[in-house]
C-alpha cells in the first residue's frame, strides 16, 4: 500500500485555485510537511488577502504595530479552510504615520464596499 503524502491535496487545491483565479498573484506559496498551505508577501497592502478571502472564504484580520526601529507596519492575515485544505496567508506593508488607528481592543466598523448607505 502506498504511503499518503499530506502535501499532495494542498498542492492540487492550490493549482486549481490559481488556474481558476489567475488574478490571485503576488504571493509566495509553500506547503509545510503537515499539509498547511502558506502564502505570503511582505510588500502587499492587504488587497491580495482581501481578494483571496472573497474567493475562498474567511475574514482577513488586520493588525498595526511598530517594529523595534520605529516603522509602523500593518499585517493582514487570513486563516481559513477551503476544500479541506488549511490556508495561512499574510501580507504586510508600512503604515503611514497619519493613518487612523484605534486603541487595542477597539472594533472598527467598515463601510460596505461600493459606498453603500
Amino acid at each position: 500500500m502506498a504511503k499518503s503524502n499530506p502535501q499532495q491535496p494542498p498542492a492540487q487545491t492550490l493549482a486549481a485555485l490559481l488556474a481558476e483565479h489567475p488574478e490571485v498573484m503576488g504571493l509566495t506559496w509553500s506547503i509545510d510537511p503537515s499539509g498547511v498551505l502558506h502564502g505570503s508577501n511582505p510588500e502587499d497592502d492587504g488587497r491580495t488577502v482581501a481578494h483571496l478571502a472573497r474567493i475562498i472564504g474567511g475574514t482577513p484580520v488586520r493588525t498595526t504595530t511598530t517594529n523595534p526601529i520605529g516603522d509602523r507596519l500593518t499585517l493582514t492575515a487570513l486563516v481559513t479552510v477551503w476544500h479541506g485544505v488549511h490556508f495561512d496567508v499574510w501580507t504586510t506593508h508600512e503604515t503611514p504615520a497619519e493613518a487612523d488607528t484605534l486603541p487595542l481592543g477597539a472594533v472598527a466598523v467598515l463601510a460596505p464596499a461600493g459606498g453603500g448607505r
Side-chain angles (χ1 to χ4, degrees):
M1 181 176 198
K3 186 175 179 180
S4 175
N5 180 347
Q7 293 176 316
Q8 188 173 0
Q12 292 169 332
T13 299
L14 177 60
L17 171 68
L18 296 177
E20 191 172 321
H21 296 279
E23 75 278 9
V24 179
M25 55 187 189
L27 294 169
T28 299
W29 295 98
S30 65
I31 304 170
D32 71 23
S34 68
V36 175
L37 189 54
H38 298 276
S40 65
N41 182 339
E43 298 178 2
D44 184 273
D45 65 2
R47 289 183 209 178
T48 303
V49 172
H51 181 70
L52 184 62
R54 287 190 294 276
I55 296 168
I56 67 173
T59 303
V61 175
R62 184 170 283 184
T63 305
T64 301
T65 187
T66 303
N67 70 11
I69 61 172
D71 297 328
R72 289 174 40 86
L73 301 173
T74 298
L75 169 74
T76 305
L78 174 66
V79 177
T80 192
V81 176
W82 186 65
H83 292 285
V85 174
H86 292 264
F87 281 75
D88 181 2
V89 183
W90 65 269
T91 63
T92 186
H93 69 281
E94 286 192 35
T95 308
E98 66 276 358
D100 293 336
T101 59
L102 296 171
L104 187 61
V107 176
V109 177
L110 303 177
R117 295 179 192 196

